[in-house]
Amino acid sequence: DVQLQASGGGLVQAGGSLRLSCAVYGIAFDDYAVGWFRQRPGQEREGISCINKHDGFTYMEHSVKGRFTISSDNARNTVYLQMSSLKPEDTAVYYCAATAEDFGMGMFAIDEVNYWGKGTQVTVSS
């Protein structure tokens, strides 16, 4: 049974930090790229970061570049999204996702996702 378990969301003040975790079960971890999407209130879901463990490639969307970092702990089959200098506009439900598709460089698209985790709410107060 494939599961992506996202955790680590919460309420934080602007300028604060949170670390999201995505624990992956039931698939060959090294065969998948794992990424994070978010859905802000009233907006469509957007991809913001991914890591391809096969070659270590990482992608970070421009609005979070320099503030967010993605990393992988292969021993724990877990991907982390370290979020710092959080802004109210980062408020969203964050979803982790995995794909085995060959999506090239950049971020994999929603229609390339093979597996989704349940979302975790991040709320940044001003």
Side-chain angles (χ1 to χ4, degrees):
D1 189 24
V2 179
Q3 292 186 47
L4 276 66
Q5 294 184 354
S7 61
L11 173 64
V12 64
Q13 289 189 330
S17 300
L18 284 173
R19 188 178 77 161
L20 305 184
S21 300
C22 178
V24 179
Y25 303 96
I27 56 176
F29 192 59
D30 285 348
D31 291 343
Y32 286 78
V34 177
W36 291 93
F37 291 73
R38 69 182 180 186
Q39 190 161 14
R40 293 185 274 193
Q43 299 190 25
E44 295 185 350
R45 195 172 298 189
E46 59 178 344
I48 59 169
S49 183
C50 68
I51 183 166
N52 186 332
K53 292 163 272 58
H54 181 67
D55 58 13
F57 170 79
T58 62
Y59 169 84
M60 202 65 65
E61 192 267 340
H62 71 88
S63 70
V64 302
K65 204 167 189 177
R67 300 187 297 121
F68 292 9
T69 304
I70 191 167
S71 63
S72 173
D73 183 339
N74 292 346
R76 290 183 166 82
N77 283 11
T78 300
V79 170
Y80 302 100
L81 186 69
Q82 178 67 47
M83 307 186 296
S84 302
S85 302
L86 282 160
K87 304 175 181 181
E89 52 264 42
D90 294 317
T91 294
V93 179
Y94 285 72
Y95 299 88
C96 63
T99 184
E101 304 293 327
D102 182 9
F103 60 95
M105 306 295 282
M107 178 71 201
F108 54 94
I110 287 176
D111 61 4
E112 293 173 314
V113 173
N114 297 133
Y115 301 104
W116 287 100
K118 292 184 179 180
T120 184
Q121 175 72 46
V122 172
T123 303
V124 185
S125 63
S126 57

